[in-house]
Amino acid sequence: MSEVSPSFEVQVVGAAVVDSLEAPTRMLVAQRSEPQTVAGMWEFPGGKVEPGESCEQALVRELEEELGVQARLGAEVPGAYPQGWRLSERLAMRVFFAEILSGTPDTLEDHSALRWMPLPKSKDDAQAYDDLLGLPWIPADLPIVVALLQQLQDAGVGEA
């Protein structure tokens, strides 16, 4: 029996905000302030796609609302489904790399803290992997972080 792709009711978008789309060395992570079930955990900033919006339009809007920045989007971190990564029975999230064009990120909505985390300089940079993967991520976001790190490594980002 083949697995049928689930139909998710709610499309969510998230941003892997990096300091440079061309040569990223750091990624911005956001600590949730609510709801209580995930308060204190780390995630990709973003939110729900509104009717009539593309995923990309929604993410640019969410970054402006949540962080107060204008951003340009880069490549997607592809998930297992056309809607991206499964968050729950109802929710799926597409994640895109993003770079801040203007503004300084601030905790305007839904977050109690923001932190720039170093990205691994090479596959041997165990400290950066440990620091990033050691954060208490929202469980559904952790596999996305692992895939994102693999995508950066496969692209040879940060390597001479």
Side-chain angles (χ1 to χ4, degrees):
M1 188 171 111
S2 65
E3 184 179 340
V4 177
S5 179
S7 57
F8 299 102
E9 296 170 41
V10 181
Q11 180 68 62
V12 178
V13 286
V17 178
V18 291
D19 53 348
S20 161
L21 288 174
E22 287 72 33
T25 62
R26 300 180 306 151
M27 181 172 73
L28 187 69
V29 296
Q31 189 175 42
R32 289 292 303 200
S33 55
E34 56 184 359
Q36 193 56 44
T37 53
V38 294
M41 294 181 174
W42 295 86
E43 71 169 1
F44 297 102
K48 293 183 179 91
V49 177
E50 300 293 339
E53 279 183 321
S54 69
C55 288
E56 293 84 352
Q57 290 167 331
L59 189 51
V60 168
R61 175 187 52 76
E62 286 286 349
L63 291 173
E64 190 165 348
E65 289 174 4
E66 285 191 5
L67 304 178
V69 298
Q70 283 71 50
R72 126 179 123 105
L73 304 184
E76 185 170 357
V77 181
Y81 303 101
Q83 304 94 330
W85 297 84
R86 172 192 222 115
L87 300 181
S88 71
E89 293 302 315
R90 295 183 56 243
L91 301 166
M93 179 167 69
R94 291 180 65 192
V95 176
F96 296 87
F97 284 94
E99 177 181 28
I100 295 171
L101 296 175
S102 65
T104 301
D106 197 4
T107 54
L108 302 179
E109 276 185 14
D110 303 326
H111 300 111
S112 55
L114 300 173
R115 185 185 300 171
W116 284 101
M117 296 294 294
L119 290 168
K121 295 177 185 65
S122 72
K123 61 182 180 289
D124 301 322
D125 188 354
Q127 187 65 55
Y129 280 104
D130 291 348
D131 289 349
L132 198 53
L133 296 173
L135 288 174
W137 287 92
I138 291 175
D141 282 15
L142 186 57
I144 305 170
V145 178
V146 172
L148 175 150
L149 291 171
Q150 186 64 52
Q151 190 169 331
L152 289 175
Q153 182 182 321
D154 291 348
V157 170
E159 295 183 0

